[in-house]
Amino acid sequence: MAITYTWSFDRVEVSTADQPIDLAVVAHWRLTAVDAEGLVSSAYGSSNLGEAASDYTPFDEITKEQLAGWVIERMENVTEDNLKEALADQIEAQKKPKTVPKVPSGWS
């Protein structure tokens, strides 16, 4: 079943002291997966952009695709494909849960 993945950024921290002003230095990101049935899973993190942002782009000209690329470049021990696979597994687990909540019928 097809899953749609979307990068979003809850917040981007920018430099106020160093030149250039408004250099993106930390991105707070979320990768969300939605399948055709509407089931959703997501991963959240923050990335220190450091050298990835050294090719200065004025803050208001940064695209989501560019920022996602910087985040992916800075990930350690995980790839974008690994994240997507984990999100797909979470969606599959929602379809076939290993546990369900239950309370004995005599309890109130």
Side-chain angles (χ1 to χ4, degrees):
M1 197 161 277
I3 297 178
T4 301
Y5 298 93
T6 306
W7 283 95
S8 60
F9 300 92
D10 299 332
R11 183 175 69 232
V12 178
E13 296 178 33
V14 298
S15 171
T16 59
D18 298 330
Q19 294 297 323
I21 297 294
D22 282 349
L23 175 69
V25 292
V26 177
H28 299 269
W29 57 266
R30 183 176 309 277
L31 180 59
T32 303
V34 181
D35 80 351
E37 297 174 26
L39 295 173
V40 178
S41 65
S42 67
Y44 178 83
S46 61
S47 295
N48 182 342
L49 301 175
E51 295 301 314
S54 64
D55 293 331
Y56 178 70
T57 299
F59 184 75
D60 288 333
E61 294 176 20
I62 296 172
T63 65
K64 283 185 180 182
E65 294 78 16
Q66 183 178 26
L67 192 53
W70 290 343
V71 166
I72 293 163
E73 287 175 10
R74 302 304 288 172
M75 288 183 181
E76 293 182 17
N77 303 318
V78 67
T79 66
E80 183 178 21
D81 288 340
N82 295 143
L83 278 176
K84 288 180 177 180
E85 182 178 335
L87 295 177
D89 289 348
Q90 289 174 15
I91 287 175
E92 192 59 32
Q94 292 176 49
K95 295 176 184 178
K96 300 174 189 172
K98 292 182 180 182
T99 63
V100 293
K102 198 170 182 180
V103 175
S105 61
W107 293 9
S108 2

